[in-house]
């Protein structure tokens, strides 16, 4: 694996390290190289490397890259997961008998499950609230706990959520679920109160690679501190304070340097070469947060001279169709590598629906014609994408979809799906998906594959016979959703389903938070208006800095085309201050 001199210096350091990396600096490549190196040193032993990253998308990317450099048998020597998944599968469940009231088969309450909405609504009712909005569900999903078990995050920003949060946590447990906040808190308690658990974890995992360390919360730092105290693990921490945008979830970038000092980490190495963005885009970013050494454009897009654009409009949708899409075509950029970014889903919903009606393929809020939480949805999308993309499709994504489906139905985490037995099952699923596609399409393909998938999973012992009809029921729910959303179900194609698993064929609509860690050839940032960006309640101090960091993350997603779209409003709010002299200076 070819590395830059900066990346190689980080890789060659054997002790604890805090590596600060600018956007597009190849930090994922560096982490992958470090992970492969550590795994090779542990090959043939019972020990492992833990790579902890912030999102499931990052998990998939890192896991896919690592798998290309290692043999399948090496999977016993490493884990790539989010912090919540790591704590659940490698600490809580193995030691479930030591946690009062905890079940080793407890299911995770994600915001995509229908039970999440039911529990949130009931918790709100108990404090006298009966009309939840979309933002309220988001805040319930952001409930967190600190090291003392006290509420943090979104629960402190809304009086109703603050009152309802204890009910939400209690109701989740009573219904057999564990929420994200409780996963971390129970893990901390186990490590803190039971020395045997901490020693066991530190003994098994000889090194920890932590990505996006700037978004680590206090309780996560405490978990790492307790593992480090055992003196058996090294830590490779990678982050960028300028990209810390998850303060609402409890992220505290000010914890980075003190923890690094506490564990004796080397702190004077950095990655300052940006291999993602053009010179004009890098220049915009440097005006927001100047670096030392300065970030420079060094990749293939270094030769691109397309300037950043500011579009003033009375209607954002018109600016997208009249300016952004034509610019993408003019520059010969792929639609599937283009994105529209906003601070909230609310701003994206009408644009998503409008573009779909306009004939533009989109992936984003309001684009998926059925609920993403439907049991068969994720696996059906992966299988249909495999049919459409053929040999270009990544089988690791199917493995993860199968793992999630089994976990959702049975409550068990079958990690052997990622081994040889699972690969046999998945290869047969892919073959059946292709065979069925020769005879059917759309809903008929969905119905047949639900039956075929259930039969194969039961036959191979991944599911009990009692779950035989679950996927077929899920298809019925998906079809009902599509009819409710006025989708022409009779003309639905396999390609339409696969688009959500292989989104490079469609324009992406995302929140800035969701776009974190991603990159696009073309980016349009909407809502760049005072009162929205920054929010009218966040115009000074740390709140303003947090808004500026969010804007910075949006800017640095772009490779070649960067467009700001300012929509006038009836109140006369001017363009965002981040566009002015104290920002990117494009006004």
């Amino acid at each position: 694996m070819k590395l830059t001199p900066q990346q190689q210096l980080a890789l060659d350091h054997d002790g604890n390290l805090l590596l600060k990396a600018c956007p597009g600096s190849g930090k994922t490549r560096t982490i992958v190289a470090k992970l492969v190196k550590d795994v090779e040193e542990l090959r043939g032993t019972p020990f492992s490397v833990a790579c902890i990253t912030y999102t499931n998308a990052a998990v998939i990317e890192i896991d896919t890259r690592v798998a290309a450099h290692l043999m399948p048998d090496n999977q016993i020597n490493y884990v790539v997961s989010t912090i919540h998944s790591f704590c659940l599968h490698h600490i809580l469940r193995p030691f479930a008998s030591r946690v009062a009231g905890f079940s080793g088969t407890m299911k995770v309450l994600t915001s995509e499950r229908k039970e999440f909405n039911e529990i949130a609504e009931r918790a709100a009712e108990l404090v006298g609230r009966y009309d939840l909005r979309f933002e309220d569900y988001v805040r319930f999903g952001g409930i967190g706990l600190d090291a003392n078990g006290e509420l943090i995050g979104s629960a402190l920003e809304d009086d109703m959520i603050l009152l309802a949060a204890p009910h939400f946590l209690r109701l989740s447990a009573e219904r057999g679920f564990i929420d994200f906040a409780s996963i971390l808190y129970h893990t901390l308690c186990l490590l803190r109160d039971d020395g045997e658990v901490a020693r066991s974890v530190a003994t098994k995992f000889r090194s920890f690679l932590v990505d996006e360390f700037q978004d680590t919360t206090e309780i996560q730092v405490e978990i790492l501190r307790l593992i480090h105290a055992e003196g058996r693990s090294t830590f490779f921490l990678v982050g960028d304070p300028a990209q810390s945008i998850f303060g609402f979830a409890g992220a505290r970038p000010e914890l980075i340097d003190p923890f690094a000092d506490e564990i004796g980490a080397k702190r004077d190495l950095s990655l300052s070469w940006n291999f993602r963005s053009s010179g004009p885009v890098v220049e915009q970013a440097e005006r927001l947060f100047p670096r030392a050494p300065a970030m420079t454009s060094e990749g293939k897009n270094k030769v691109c001279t397309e300037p950043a654009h500011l579009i003033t409009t009375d209607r954002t949708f018109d600016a997208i169709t009249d300016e952004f899409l034509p610019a993408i075509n003019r520059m010969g950029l792929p639609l599937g590598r283009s994105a529209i970014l906003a601070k909230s889903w609310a701003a994206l919903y009408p644009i998503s629906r409008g573009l779909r009606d306009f004939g533009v393929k989109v992936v984003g809020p309001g684009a998926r014609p059925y609920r993403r939480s439907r049991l068969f949805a994720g696996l059906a999308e992966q299988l249909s994408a495999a049919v459409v993309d053929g040999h270009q499709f990544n089988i690791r994504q199917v493995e993860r979809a199968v793992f999630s489906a089994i976990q959702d139905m049975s409550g068990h985490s079958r990690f052997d799906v990622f081994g040889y037995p699972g690969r046999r099952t998945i290869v047969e699923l892919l073959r059946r998906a292709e065979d069925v596609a020769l005879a059917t399409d759309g809903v008929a393909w969905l119905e047949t594959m639900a039956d075929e998938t259930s039969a194969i999973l039961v036959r191979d012992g991944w599911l009990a016979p009692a779950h035989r009809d679950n996927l077929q029921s899920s298809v019925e729910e998906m079809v009902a959703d599509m009819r409710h959303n006025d989708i022409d179900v009779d003309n639905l194609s396999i390609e339409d389903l696969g688009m959500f698993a292989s989104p490079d064929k469609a324009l992406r609509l995302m929140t800035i938070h969701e776009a974190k860690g991603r990159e696009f050839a073309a980016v349009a940032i909407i809502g760049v208006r005072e009162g929205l960006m920054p929010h009218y309640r966040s115009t000074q101090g740390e709140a303003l800095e947090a808004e500026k960091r969010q804007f910075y993350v949006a800017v640095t997603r772009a490779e070649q085309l960067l467009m700001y779209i300012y929509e006038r409003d009836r109140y006369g709010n001017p363009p965002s201050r981040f566009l002015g002299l104290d920002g990117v200076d494009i006004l």
Side-chain angles (χ1 to χ4, degrees):
M1 189 183 308
K2 187 176 181 180
L3 300 177
T4 69
Q6 291 181 335
Q7 295 166 348
Q8 190 65 50
L9 282 174
L11 185 67
D12 291 341
H13 183 69
D14 292 329
N16 295 330
L17 173 67
L18 172 60
L19 180 66
K20 294 185 178 179
C22 76
S25 60
K27 69 178 179 65
T28 300
R29 173 184 287 267
T30 309
I31 290 171
V32 168
K34 174 65 173 174
L35 181 54
V36 170
K37 177 184 176 183
D38 286 359
V39 169
E40 289 176 343
E41 293 175 355
L42 295 176
R43 184 181 290 120
T45 75
F47 307 120
S48 297
V49 182
C51 180
I52 309 298
T53 190
Y54 201 84
T55 66
N56 287 321
V59 168
I60 293 172
E61 180 180 5
I62 293 174
D63 186 53
T64 300
R65 292 198 197 184
V66 170
H69 293 277
L70 295 172
M71 300 297 291
D73 290 345
N74 296 143
Q75 291 185 0
I76 63 172
N77 295 119
Y78 72 93
V79 170
V80 182
S81 69
T82 63
I83 183 65
H84 296 91
S85 178
F86 177 80
C87 290
L88 180 65
H89 297 307
H90 300 284
I91 302 178
L92 280 188
R93 281 185 170 152
F95 297 97
S97 61
R98 306 186 186 204
V99 182
F102 181 78
S103 168
T105 60
M106 190 174 290
K107 293 177 288 188
V108 179
L109 184 64
T110 68
S111 59
E112 296 174 356
R113 301 187 69 103
K114 64 179 182 180
E115 294 91 345
F116 178 92
N117 286 5
E118 295 169 356
I119 292 172
E121 289 161 5
R122 178 55 182 156
E125 289 173 2
L126 291 174
V127 297
R129 179 71 177 274
Y130 298 90
D131 56 340
L132 293 188
R133 301 162 299 175
F134 176 81
E135 293 81 3
D136 296 320
Y137 293 107
V138 173
R139 291 192 181 99
F140 271 110
I143 292 173
L145 297 172
D146 65 14
N148 297 314
E150 300 294 331
L151 291 168
I152 60 172
S154 64
L156 303 181
E157 300 173 0
D158 185 284
D159 291 340
M160 184 275 290
I161 302 293
L162 182 61
L163 293 173
H167 296 296
F168 179 85
L169 299 178
R170 174 181 56 79
L171 291 168
S172 299
E174 289 176 356
R175 295 189 59 171
F177 290 98
I178 186 167
D179 60 277
F180 289 121
S182 297
I183 287 175
L184 296 183
Y185 182 68
H186 283 312
T187 296
L188 175 66
C189 292
L190 263 180
L191 295 173
R192 182 186 61 202
D193 302 335
D194 193 327
E196 185 177 342
V197 174
R199 284 191 296 276
S200 176
V201 174
T203 298
K204 178 178 180 181
F205 293 98
R206 290 305 175 92
S207 62
F208 285 82
L209 284 58
V210 184
D211 188 18
E212 306 290 1
F213 192 61
Q214 76 278 353
D215 290 319
T216 301
T217 66
E218 178 190 17
I219 196 168
Q220 292 169 19
V221 169
E222 288 298 321
I223 289 170
L224 296 177
R225 179 177 285 117
L226 289 167
I227 295 173
H228 172 264
E230 295 298 319
R232 307 185 184 198
S233 309
T234 59
F235 291 79
F236 187 88
L237 313 173
V238 184
D240 178 11
Q243 296 187 73
S244 180
I245 62 172
F246 290 94
F248 68 90
R252 294 181 57 189
E254 69 271 18
L255 299 175
I256 295 177
D257 290 333
F259 179 70
D261 289 339
E262 180 181 335
I263 66 174
K266 185 177 179 63
R267 289 176 46 193
D268 58 353
L269 296 183
S270 64
L271 304 181
S272 60
W273 295 357
N274 184 312
F275 297 96
R276 172 189 303 158
S277 303
S278 66
V281 173
V282 167
E283 183 181 353
Q284 295 273 290
E286 276 293 288
R287 286 174 178 166
L288 290 167
F289 287 104
R291 294 174 177 270
M295 177 169 60
T296 58
S297 176
E298 301 292 343
K300 63 181 181 180
N301 294 317
K302 182 178 181 178
V303 299
C304 178
T305 59
E306 183 76 15
H309 301 268
L310 172 61
I311 306 301
T312 299
T313 182
D314 292 322
R315 189 166 175 255
T316 296
F317 182 83
D318 293 339
I320 292 170
T321 56
D322 297 345
E323 302 287 347
F324 185 55
L325 294 179
I328 291 173
N329 291 332
R330 171 177 57 81
M331 296 179 66
L333 304 177
L335 183 68
R337 298 210 59 247
S338 304
I340 299 170
L341 305 183
K343 288 185 66 176
S344 72
W345 288 119
L348 294 171
Y349 271 111
I351 295 173
S352 177
R353 297 294 179 110
L355 287 173
R356 191 176 68 184
D357 294 340
F358 197 71
V360 178
K361 288 187 175 181
V362 295
V363 172
R368 185 177 268 103
Y370 44 80
R371 292 186 182 179
R372 188 178 182 181
S373 59
R374 297 306 187 194
L375 190 58
F376 191 45
L379 182 51
E381 289 172 1
Q382 297 295 340
L383 291 173
S384 54
V387 170
V388 174
D389 294 347
H391 69 281
Q392 297 179 344
F393 190 75
N394 191 337
I395 196 171
R396 297 287 288 184
Q397 296 177 227
V398 184
E399 287 179 335
R400 290 190 173 278
V402 171
F403 174 84
S404 297
I406 293 171
Q407 188 177 57
D408 287 343
M409 284 187 276
S410 68
H412 295 286
S413 301
R414 294 294 301 272
F415 287 101
D416 43 344
V417 162
F418 301 105
Y420 179 71
R423 184 59 62 92
R424 289 182 57 187
T425 297
I426 288 165
V427 168
E428 182 165 356
L429 285 174
L430 293 172
R431 287 174 178 168
R432 290 301 301 141
E434 292 175 353
D435 291 344
V436 173
L438 295 175
T440 62
D441 200 357
V443 171
W445 180 88
L446 263 180
E447 294 171 339
T448 304
M449 279 310 301
D451 283 336
E452 294 283 349
T453 301
S454 296
I456 291 171
L457 293 180
V458 170
R459 183 204 66 195
D460 291 354
W462 302 106
L463 291 176
H467 299 294
R468 180 69 174 77
D469 297 327
N470 288 5
L471 296 185
Q472 191 58 248
S473 298
S474 175
V475 171
E476 295 173 2
E477 294 170 339
M478 291 169 67
V479 172
D481 289 343
M482 288 187 277
R483 294 191 187 282
H484 177 75
N485 290 321
D486 297 323
I487 299 299
D488 186 0
V489 175
D490 294 333
N491 290 316
L492 186 75
S493 69
I494 295 175
E495 184 176 0
D496 292 331
L497 295 167
M499 180 175 66
F500 297 101
S502 184
D504 288 347
K505 301 172 183 177
L507 177 66
R508 301 298 299 268
L509 277 71
M510 311 172 75
T511 64
I512 297 172
H513 286 96
E514 187 184 11
K516 178 74 170 61
R518 301 172 186 260
E519 54 190 32
F520 303 96
V523 168
I525 307 173
I526 67 174
V528 287
R529 185 175 70 218
E530 284 291 304
L532 293 177
M533 191 181 295
H535 191 270
Y536 68 91
R537 293 178 179 173
S538 304
T539 56
Q540 57 186 350
E542 171 54 29
L544 179 60
E545 282 298 297
E547 294 273 327
K548 188 176 180 181
R549 291 195 297 267
Q550 190 174 359
F551 183 73
Y552 178 85
V553 166
V555 168
T556 54
R557 298 312 94 194
E559 295 176 355
Q560 299 181 51
L561 174 62
L562 175 61
M563 185 174 290
Y564 308 106
I565 298 179
Y566 161 64
E567 179 183 308
R568 305 182 188 90
D569 69 355
R570 58 181 177 175
Y571 304 107
N573 287 310
S576 169
R577 68 188 69 185
F578 300 144
L579 300 174
L581 289 175
D582 293 332
V584 297
D585 193 18
I586 198 173
L587 287 177

